[in-house]
Amino acid sequence: MERTLGIVKPDAVKAKHTGKIIDAYLEAGLRIVGMKMVHLSPEQAKGFYYVHKERPFFNDLVAFMTEGPVVLLCLEGENAISRNRDLMGATNPANATEGTLRKRFGANIERNAVHGSDAPETAAFEIGYFFNAFELV
Ligand code: ADP
Ligand code: MG
């Protein structure tokens, strides 16, 4: 059993895709064990994406992730991390497989609708960054 962090990013929340994305997680057999909507501050977004702080797109990414509310989800299931990455599709929606969340709802490499942890270590960091033990059922 594994847990991963999913985020419905501000573009997808604004476009009213939250329900469809949550439905896709459930249909894929991922259980929701934590969920909340928040509007991230710049400091919160910078801390979450600190691994990318030297990347040229970092400031734009922080601006994007703070432009409106996001939905944070802790998802659980067997191989939840890689299964969620498969469900999401490639970072650039243009390269994402048909039917994936980023193909369906992403606009471009930045505004790509969803986040998903990429490894057990990052999942543990990311879940702990946003949820405390009492918020996970
Ligand atoms: P992923 O979200 O697929 O794990 P990364 O961890 O590489 O991708 O990047 C984190 C996020 O930063 C992406 O989901 C996307 O929103 C943004 N991003 C990544 N690469 C670029 C880029 N070349 N230009 C603009 N934004 C980017
Ligand atoms: Mg990543």
Side-chain angles (χ1 to χ4, degrees):
M1 203 54 65
E2 199 171 63
R3 286 180 173 182
T4 188
L5 185 87
I7 306 180
V8 183
K9 293 185 176 182
D11 57 332
V13 172
K14 188 171 184 201
K16 304 181 185 174
H17 291 144
T18 303
K20 283 167 273 190
I21 290 168
I22 290 173
D23 198 43
Y25 293 141
L26 297 173
E27 286 296 321
L30 295 165
R31 279 186 301 285
I32 298 170
V33 297
M35 179 163 67
K36 57 189 170 187
M37 178 177 263
V38 299
H39 192 148
L40 296 176
S41 70
E43 288 313 311
Q44 287 172 322
K46 284 180 196 168
F48 179 73
Y49 278 122
Y50 80 99
V51 292
H52 294 309
K53 65 180 186 300
E54 307 298 342
R55 306 284 284 277
F57 58 81
F58 182 70
N59 288 340
D60 285 346
L61 176 61
V62 170
F64 163 50
M65 291 299 290
T66 58
E67 73 179 28
V70 298
V71 177
L72 306 169
L73 298 111
C74 182
L75 303 168
E76 184 181 78
E78 270 176 45
N79 302 313
I81 295 168
S82 64
R83 280 170 56 211
N84 184 42
R85 293 293 301 198
D86 290 347
L87 181 65
M88 288 162 60
T91 306
N92 188 343
N95 303 329
T97 302
E98 211 58 50
T100 60
L101 295 175
R102 284 169 163 172
K103 189 66 161 191
R104 291 170 69 192
F105 305 119
N108 57 51
I109 194 168
E110 178 184 85
R111 304 176 72 83
N112 57 7
V114 285
H115 168 85
S117 311
D118 63 3
E121 303 72 37
T122 47
F125 165 75
E126 292 176 359
I127 293 165
Y129 191 80
F130 286 127
F131 291 97
N132 68 49
F134 301 101
E135 296 172 314
L136 299 173
V137 298

